[in-house]
Amino acid sequence: TPPNNEGGMSQQGATLQGYNNELVKCLEDLCFKRDELQKHILEEEEEKQRVQNDIRILTERLTQINESLARRIATRNDYDKVIAETETAYRKILQSSQSLLHVLKKEASDLKGRTGQTVWPEGGGQSGDHMSTYEESVAAGKRMHS
């Protein structure tokens, strides 16, 4: 007669059932952890898309600002050039005016010396008909340059 192994078989079955239950629990834990990880992956991918979109928008804005700055700087440089040219021309006008005044005073002094009359009164104004016309001033300026 074969030996009675029913006790041993039921013990082995119980052990196998314990292993099976533990294996199922480990698989469930791994699946849970995988699902949690997948949720985090999806969240980060969404955030990545938002950040990339923000970068695209900011890059476009930066390009617009750089273009605007370039235009404004060019315009400012044009202003600087016009201001410098105007200041130079104005200085030349002042120098010419000073030279003209000097010539007129000298001519007036020469005329006074010849006639004994005051042609250019004190205070810088003009008197009578002497040296009062634009043409005479131009003529004096021409004499200065010749």
Side-chain angles (χ1 to χ4, degrees):
T1 71
N4 185 357
N5 282 338
E6 284 187 24
M9 288 293 269
S10 69
Q11 178 64 33
Q12 287 177 350
T15 301
L16 188 58
Q17 185 62 40
Y19 290 155
N20 185 48
N21 288 343
E22 196 173 328
L23 181 61
V24 168
K25 184 175 180 335
C26 282
L27 280 172
E28 286 175 350
D29 284 348
L30 289 174
C31 286
F32 176 77
K33 288 179 181 179
R34 183 206 176 274
D35 290 345
E36 286 295 308
L37 184 60
Q38 181 63 24
K39 279 197 268 186
H40 289 293
I41 289 171
L42 291 174
E43 289 170 358
E44 284 187 1
E45 285 178 345
E46 288 175 4
E47 183 179 3
K48 176 184 170 186
Q49 289 298 318
R50 284 192 301 272
V51 168
Q52 284 178 326
N53 188 51
D54 291 347
I55 289 171
R56 181 187 57 77
I57 290 169
L58 290 172
T59 300
E60 289 173 4
R61 181 65 184 130
L62 180 61
T63 299
Q64 292 170 348
I65 289 170
N66 283 334
E67 290 170 355
S68 175
L69 271 172
R71 286 190 305 271
R72 289 175 188 264
I73 288 170
T75 301
R76 184 198 59 201
N77 291 342
D78 290 343
Y79 274 108
D80 290 345
K81 180 181 175 187
V82 168
I83 289 168
E85 290 172 352
T86 302
E87 288 174 341
T88 299
Y90 184 68
R91 277 192 297 276
K92 288 179 181 178
I93 289 170
L94 288 177
Q95 289 171 349
S96 294
S97 295
Q98 183 181 16
S99 296
L100 178 60
L101 180 60
H102 177 74
V103 167
L104 286 176
K105 284 183 177 181
K106 183 175 180 341
E107 291 290 326
S109 175
D110 290 350
L111 288 174
K112 178 183 176 189
R114 286 191 305 193
T115 63
Q117 296 178 337
T118 300
V119 176
W120 195 268
E122 293 302 315
Q126 298 172 343
S127 68
D129 293 325
H130 301 289
M131 300 296 289
S132 62
T133 65
Y134 174 74
E135 290 81 13
E136 290 173 333
S137 298
V138 171
K142 286 181 182 175
R143 282 192 300 264
M144 174 185 76
H145 293 294
S146 47

